[in-house]
């Protein structure tokens, strides 16, 4: 019997205690530890087949289940934890998980938006706030960050990641994991982080949700796996979630090479692998296993430790062991991992350590938390275009503020809004009022009807023109128009794949009519993904990408529009000219016929320019930054890249200085350029700063198809600038000796 009053001790001790505990556990108790139930169905996934309610309640009451998701708050968490601790034979506490993706009660910008800030400290701070709030509601495990590299804006979940670049994605993932897990997982304001979805989900073919991922080994090793590999090495996340998709015909949940071979073997991960919702039983639909029994055997063999909502471990592990079809050692290893994280969380010292009524009431939505959300919201806004100084707004200008989204208090909360209250964000309209701007508001057309739950379709307005004419008239009367268009919160996120990435409903018509009435137009785009903004780019003088920015969205947007905040965000994902270009990403291969050129026999399209409309890394400022003095040299095992940046015109501002590398000739074709370093600089008006970046072997090398890493001698081009189209470049030749001595 477990001594429930034991104190936390060192690793060696913990392992000994786990061994002792394991030796006392029955197979049924072990299966329970490897099973995760949702508190309520249809929350973030479909219910399992058959009626499971009675079984579920009985098991929970007997305290047999190891963890739950979607149970939040002092009362509910305490009730379930009491079952586990009081009613079970061994009193093993439960873990409580939740999708705390971009805030818990205080909503932060969606992860894709935060990535546009390129501000790792603020991103870490955001995750820290979210963890503090979640932990104050009894939670100790979040299913974030999603580190899937995403190149296809049709996929709704691009909102949940850090975009298309594996390096940016990796450093952001590290910041998030550090924020969630803090210095000490045992302290009651930290939560276990989960990096997900291992692996390839971001490459869902054609952006169709849950689709197969068709990727080469080179893309898998260099692009998809980099954030997982780096975050594990640098931030030690204690949990991984596997992916829904197949690669090479193998569903991730049943992929023994990926999970047991690479993750737990080569990379030495000793935390917990949790399946995605129902992903074990979904191997039947994939046609990879025949039934639930085989799903359980395959998932466990592959290294999926915890079964979320498939019930296959519960139903079949016992029989599989008894018939000799599954080795008990595999089950013991999985249980050991679950128990280890419970020890790390301090739950064996005090199963109720995450439960404190006062903390719950004092911690949520504090001013400091809202302030933190506002701070990163400002930094996440990307100024896409600004011709003839259309922005910032001038004092005294009569502005027509137009658009349903301008008054929307819900859209900015984004899709994965955890425990946020619906319609609780500050709208642009409210912020305009607060700032006492000289403006009239006109609603224009509705974007959607009613509120959509997480799992239900959104009803887009396609035929009700009410408000249209008034908005056009308001535009005509004004000096300048600020038009807010885009997606509502539930139009991106899980299950929200789209093939038309224009403005939903009647918004494009509104844009064109408003523009015809008044060319002096500023377009603010709220969305959870890159939209196709080609018409707007050709006609509208200023465009601001404002994503879904969380609770203080309105104020952050208004501060950028008025110039109180000098915009500094840079795109973490390319914006296409046409959906037909997708997948689109800056770090593509050159092809044998790099184009386009004058004749048609070069890589490109006949009907659209080949490049992105707004490339990765792009983002303007009210200041003008000039780059100069690029020098690249080999120095003591590193490549030193020196460059100078000056804020030559405009107010004080921030610039993200980006360093890209191109390996000109290698044993496999390499991308045209790849981001390897960046720094966000703050520059006063006129200020000049020189800076040095140091590149190491890992920045110059690559993985081959067999998974081996190589750095090869030869020439490298280095580009430095304010976007992935940076023009300033220098070339360096590295000898074999140089390469060998790289650190
Ligand atoms: C999603 C996961 C999520 C899980 C639990 C699944 O549908 O793919 O990312 O963590 O549900 O809510």
């Amino acid at each position: 019997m477990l001594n429930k009053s034991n104190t936390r001790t060192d690793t060696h001790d913990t392992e000994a205690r786990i061994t002792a505990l394991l030796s006392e556990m029955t197979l049924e108790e072990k299966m329970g530890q490897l099973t995760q139930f949702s508190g309520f169905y249809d929350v973030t996934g479909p219910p399992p087949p058959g009626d499971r309610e009675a079984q579920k309640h009985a098991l929970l009451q007997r305290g047999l289940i190891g963890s739950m998701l979607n149970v939040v708050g002092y009362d509910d968490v305490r009730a379930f934890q009491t079952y586990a601790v009081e009613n079970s034979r061994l009193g093993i506490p439960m873990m409580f998980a939740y999708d705390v993706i971009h805030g818990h009660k205080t909503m932060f910008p969606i992860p894709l938006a935060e990535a546009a800030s390129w501000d790792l400290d603020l991103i870490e701070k955001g995750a820290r706030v979210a963890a503090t709030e979640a932990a104050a509601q009894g939670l100790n495990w979040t299913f974030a960050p999603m580190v899937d590299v995403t190149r296809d804006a049709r996929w709704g979940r691009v909102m949940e990641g850090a975009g298309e670049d594996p390096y940016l994605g990796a450093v952001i993932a590290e910041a998030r994991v550090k924020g969630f897990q803090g210095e000490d997982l045992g302290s009651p304001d930290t939560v276990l982080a989960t990096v997900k979805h291992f692996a390839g989900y971001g490459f869902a073919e054609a952006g169709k949700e849950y689709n197969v991922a068709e990727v080469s080994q080179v893309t898998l090793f260099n692009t998809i796996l980099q954030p997982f590999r780096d975050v594990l090495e640098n931030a030690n996340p204690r949990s991984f979630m596997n992916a829904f998709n197949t690669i090479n015909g193998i569903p991730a949940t049943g992929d023994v090479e990926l999970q047991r071979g690479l993750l737990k073997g080569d990379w030495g991960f000793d935390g917990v692998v949790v399946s995605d919702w129902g992903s074990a039983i979904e191997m039947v639909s994939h046609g990879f296993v025949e039934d639930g029994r085989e799903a359980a055997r395959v998932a466990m063999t592959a290294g999926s430790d915890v079964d979320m909502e498939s019930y296959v471990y519960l139903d079949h592990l016992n029989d599989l062991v008894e018939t000799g079809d599954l080795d008990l050692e595999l089950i013991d290893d999985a249980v050991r991992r679950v128990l280890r994280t419970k020890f790390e969380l301090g739950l064996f010292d005090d199963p109720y350590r995450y439960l404190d009524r006062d903390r719950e009431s004092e911690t949520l939505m504090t001013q400091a938390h809202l302030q933190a959300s506002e701070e990163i919201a400002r930094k996440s806004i990307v100024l896409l275009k600004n011709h003839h100084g259309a922005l910032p707004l001038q004092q005294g200008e009569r502005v027509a503020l137009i658009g349903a989204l301008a008054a929307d208090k819900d859209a900015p909360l984004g899709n994965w809004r955890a425990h946020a209250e619906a319609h609780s964000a500050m709208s642009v309209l409210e912020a305009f009022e607060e700032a006492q701007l000289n403006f009239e508001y006109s609603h224009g057309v509705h974007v959607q009807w009613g509120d959509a739950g997480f799992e239900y379709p959104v009803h887009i307005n396609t035929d009700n023109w009410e408000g249209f004419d008034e908005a056009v008239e308001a535009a005509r009367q004004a000096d300048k128009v600020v038009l807010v268009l885009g997606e509502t919160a539930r139009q991106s996120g899980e299950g929200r794949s789209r093939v038309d990435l224009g403005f939903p409903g009647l918004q494009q018509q509104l844009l064109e009519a408003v523009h015809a009435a008044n060319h002096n137009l500023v377009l603010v785009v709220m969305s959870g993904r890159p939209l196709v903004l080609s018409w707007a780019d050709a006609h509208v003088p200023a465009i601001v990408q404002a994503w879904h920015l969380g609770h203080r969205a309105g104020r952050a947007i208004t501060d950028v529009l008025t110039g109180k905040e000098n915009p500094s965000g840079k795109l973490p994902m390319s914006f296409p000219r046409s959906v037909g270009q997708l997948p689109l990403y800056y770090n593509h291969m050159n092809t044998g016929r790099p184009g386009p050129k004058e004749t048609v026999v070069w890589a490109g399209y006949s009907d659209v320019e080949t490049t992105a409309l707004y490339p990765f890394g792009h983002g303007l400022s009210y200041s003008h930054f000039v780059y100069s003095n690029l020098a690249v040299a080999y120095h003591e095992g590193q490549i030193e890249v020196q460059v100078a940046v000056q804020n030559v015109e405009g107010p004080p501002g921030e610039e993200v200085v980006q360093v890209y590398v191109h390996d000109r000739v290698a044993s496999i074709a390499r991308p045209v350029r790849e981001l390897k370093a960046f720094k966000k600089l703050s520059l006063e008006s006129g200020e000049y700063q020189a800076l040095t970046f140091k590149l190491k072997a890992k920045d110059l090398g690559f993985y081959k198809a067999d998974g081996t890493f190589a750095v090869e001698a030869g020439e490298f081009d280095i580009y430095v600038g304010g976007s992935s189209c940076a023009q300033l470049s220098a070339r360096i030749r590295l000898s074999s000796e140089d390469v060998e001595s790289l650190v």
Side-chain angles (χ1 to χ4, degrees):
M1 175 64 147
L2 174 77
N3 174 358
K4 292 179 190 174
S5 64
N6 276 350
T7 51
R8 282 195 3 250
T9 42
D10 62 24
T11 317
H12 183 71
D13 237 41
T14 304
E15 294 303 317
R17 288 173 66 192
I18 295 171
T19 307
L21 193 49
L22 263 172
S23 70
E24 289 190 52
M25 290 173 79
T26 63
L27 196 48
E28 188 190 35
E29 285 162 347
K30 290 177 184 175
M31 279 164 5
Q33 288 305 310
L34 303 183
T35 295
Q36 182 171 96
F37 283 158
S38 176
F40 310 93
Y41 285 132
D42 269 342
V43 181
T44 50
D51 185 5
R52 294 286 190 169
E53 283 301 287
Q55 180 193 17
K56 178 172 148 180
H57 285 282
L59 288 167
L60 285 166
Q61 272 177 3
R62 287 173 59 207
L64 272 181
I65 297 304
S67 56
M68 293 188 83
L69 78 153
N70 297 330
V71 174
V72 182
Y74 182 93
D75 293 317
D76 288 353
V77 172
R78 185 163 197 108
F80 286 114
Q81 191 67 298
T82 306
Y83 288 151
V85 177
E86 303 297 330
N87 297 1
S88 67
R89 199 173 64 90
L90 296 171
I92 301 175
M94 290 173 94
M95 290 188 286
F96 293 90
Y98 199 48
D99 290 282
V100 180
I101 309 287
H102 50 100
H104 178 68
K105 192 84 181 165
T106 307
M107 277 305 105
F108 281 71
I110 56 169
L112 186 65
E114 282 195 349
S117 75
W118 298 54
D119 191 323
L120 302 178
D121 291 341
L122 288 184
I123 290 172
E124 180 175 338
K125 191 166 155 190
R128 187 87 287 284
V129 167
T132 309
E133 291 194 351
Q137 291 224 282
L139 300 165
N140 39 42
W141 187 357
T142 175
F143 294 141
M146 184 186 100
V147 309
D148 296 313
V149 171
T150 58
R151 295 171 163 181
D152 193 329
R154 289 173 296 184
W155 192 49
R157 297 194 82 165
V158 302
M159 56 79 65
E160 215 183 317
E164 75 193 38
D165 186 69
Y167 169 73
L168 181 63
V171 291
I172 286 179
E174 284 166 36
R176 292 208 165 110
V177 169
K178 285 180 186 154
F180 287 132
Q181 295 194 163
E183 295 284 307
D184 173 15
L185 251 193
S187 84
D189 64 349
T190 55
V191 297
L192 209 71
T194 307
V195 295
K196 67 186 187 185
H197 304 83
F198 197 66
Y201 187 19
F203 277 61
E205 193 174 58
K208 188 175 83 175
E209 185 61 296
Y210 312 125
N211 208 359
V212 56
E214 283 297 342
V215 288
S216 69
Q217 290 301 95
V218 167
T219 303
L220 180 67
F221 286 122
N222 289 291
T223 306
I224 294 174
L225 292 182
Q226 178 174 350
F228 290 102
R229 191 192 301 117
D230 288 4
V231 77
L232 182 58
E233 197 174 314
N234 301 323
N236 195 21
R238 302 307 288 139
S239 162
F240 269 57
M241 181 185 289
N242 58 32
F244 286 127
N245 57 280
T246 60
I247 293 183
N248 293 321
I250 301 177
T253 314
D255 196 329
V256 67
E257 258 181 52
L258 201 60
Q259 298 184 117
R260 205 170 281 289
L262 190 72
L263 176 61
K264 293 181 171 178
D266 298 353
W267 296 355
F269 176 62
D270 68 350
V272 172
V273 176
V274 60
S275 83
D276 202 346
W277 181 299
S279 68
I281 194 67
E282 287 178 16
M283 289 195 288
V284 174
S285 307
H286 280 297
F288 188 65
V289 298
E290 201 169 339
D291 52 22
R293 185 179 191 275
E294 194 53 7
R297 191 188 67 75
V298 167
M300 178 53 65
T301 306
S304 299
D305 301 315
V306 171
D307 170 10
M308 182 200 297
E309 281 298 336
S310 279
Y311 286 75
V312 294
Y313 286 179
L314 213 49
D315 288 353
H316 305 292
L317 287 188
N318 201 2
D319 177 55
L320 283 164
V321 172
E322 276 176 8
T323 54
D325 289 334
L326 189 68
D327 196 339
L328 184 60
E329 272 180 25
L330 294 180
I331 295 179
D332 282 350
D333 174 65
V335 176
R336 177 176 287 279
R337 290 164 183 272
V338 171
L339 296 178
R340 186 179 291 138
T341 55
K342 292 183 178 185
F343 272 106
E344 288 170 355
L345 285 165
L347 291 171
F348 280 102
D349 303 326
D350 176 8
Y352 303 104
R353 64 190 297 119
Y354 282 81
L355 295 163
D356 176 335
R357 256 196 213 291
D358 292 341
R359 187 149 49 88
E360 183 173 26
S361 60
E362 286 159 12
T363 308
L364 306 177
M365 289 269 277
T366 62
Q367 280 311 311
H369 292 180
L370 285 164
Q371 194 51 42
S373 158
E374 182 176 325
E375 200 180 353
I376 189 155
R378 291 173 203 281
K379 305 292 178 195
S380 303
I381 294 170
V382 185
L383 180 60
L384 295 175
K385 178 180 176 189
N386 191 17
H387 272 197
H388 314 303
L391 281 175
L393 301 174
Q394 301 302 311
Q395 285 233 322
E397 268 179 329
R398 271 176 317 123
V399 173
L401 175 65
I402 300 176
L405 285 175
D408 197 323
K409 293 174 65 59
D410 199 65
L413 298 176
N415 193 342
W416 278 102
R417 56 191 47 201
H419 234 47
E421 199 178 308
H423 302 276
S424 60
M426 181 188 278
S427 68
V428 177
L429 172 58
E430 287 170 321
F432 266 44
E433 280 163 355
E434 181 186 68
Q436 300 184 335
L437 300 183
N438 180 9
F439 80 103
E440 294 281 339
Y441 173 65
S442 188
H443 181 268
V445 285
H446 284 282
V447 179
Q448 76 174 52
W449 300 115
D451 283 345
F454 180 84
E455 69 279 28
Y456 294 109
V458 172
H459 299 292
I460 301 293
N461 171 28
T462 54
D463 56 5
N464 186 314
W465 298 85
E466 193 191 324
F468 192 95
D469 293 342
E470 291 86 328
V472 174
E473 189 48 36
R476 194 167 287 123
Q477 303 293 331
D479 296 330
K480 190 172 273 177
V481 179
V482 173
L483 180 60
V484 185
L485 302 179
E487 294 183 318
T488 53
R490 300 289 194 206
Q491 286 180 276
S492 49
E494 183 170 355
R496 311 288 178 177
S497 294
R498 293 176 54 203
V499 295
D500 176 357
L501 298 184
F503 294 116
L506 305 175
Q507 295 181 94
Q508 179 66 27
Q509 289 91 323
L510 181 65
L511 168 62
E512 293 183 24
V514 164
H515 177 262
N518 190 339
H519 283 21
N520 206 1
L521 180 58
V522 173
L523 176 64
V524 176
V525 182
M526 282 187 188
S527 66
R529 49 153 71 91
L531 295 179
V532 172
L533 302 176
S534 297
W535 190 93
D537 181 70
H539 297 87
V540 176
I543 307 178
V544 174
Q545 177 61 33
W547 317 104
H548 293 141
L549 288 175
H551 263 116
R552 290 280 175 81
R555 192 180 290 157
I557 294 167
T558 304
D559 284 352
V560 163
L561 296 178
T562 57
K564 194 169 163 192
E565 172 76 21
N566 191 354
S568 60
K570 300 277 189 179
L571 293 178
M573 245 186 123
S574 306
F575 274 44
R577 296 172 189 276
S578 155
V579 172
Q581 290 177 289
L582 299 176
L584 178 72
Y585 46 100
Y586 83 95
N587 45 359
H588 58 82
M589 298 296 178
N590 210 15
T591 80
R593 295 188 181 185
K597 295 191 181 177
E598 271 165 29
T599 63
V600 296
V601 292
W602 299 91
Y605 299 102
S606 316
D607 54 355
V608 72
E609 271 183 57
T610 314
T611 54
L613 179 66
Y614 302 119
F616 175 85
H618 168 77
L620 304 172
S621 158
Y622 296 145
S623 314
H624 180 46
F625 300 105
V626 170
Y627 289 75
S628 62
N629 296 344
L630 176 62
V632 180
Y634 172 89
H635 184 65
E636 291 182 354
Q638 299 186 78
I639 307 301
E640 284 191 357
V641 179
Q642 293 180 327
V643 71
V645 189
Q646 187 175 13
N647 178 356
V648 292
E649 195 188 331
E654 288 171 291
E655 168 71 338
V656 181
V657 181
Q658 304 160 40
V659 179
Y660 295 87
V661 171
H662 174 216
D663 185 348
R664 291 175 56 80
V665 180
S667 55
I668 55 170
R670 303 294 302 129
V672 290
R673 50 179 80 179
E674 296 177 288
L675 181 74
K676 292 299 174 187
F678 66 87
K679 187 164 174 32
K680 194 161 186 175
L681 276 189
S682 206
L683 292 170
E684 295 298 323
S685 312
E687 190 181 343
Y688 172 100
Q689 268 192 42
L691 56 164
T692 303
F693 295 91
K694 293 185 175 171
L695 303 179
K696 301 181 175 170
K698 69 173 175 37
D699 303 312
L700 300 171
F702 54 86
Y703 287 87
K704 299 191 194 182
D706 63 2
T708 56
F709 189 75
V711 193
E712 295 176 350
E715 284 184 330
F716 295 81
D717 285 333
I718 312 288
Y719 298 86
V720 182
S723 90
S724 59
C725 292
Q727 290 302 310
L728 197 60
S729 76
R731 186 167 295 172
I732 183 166
R733 169 172 280 282
L734 295 182
S735 66
S736 311
E737 295 79 57
D738 294 341
V739 161
E740 266 162 37
S741 64
L742 283 175
V743 292

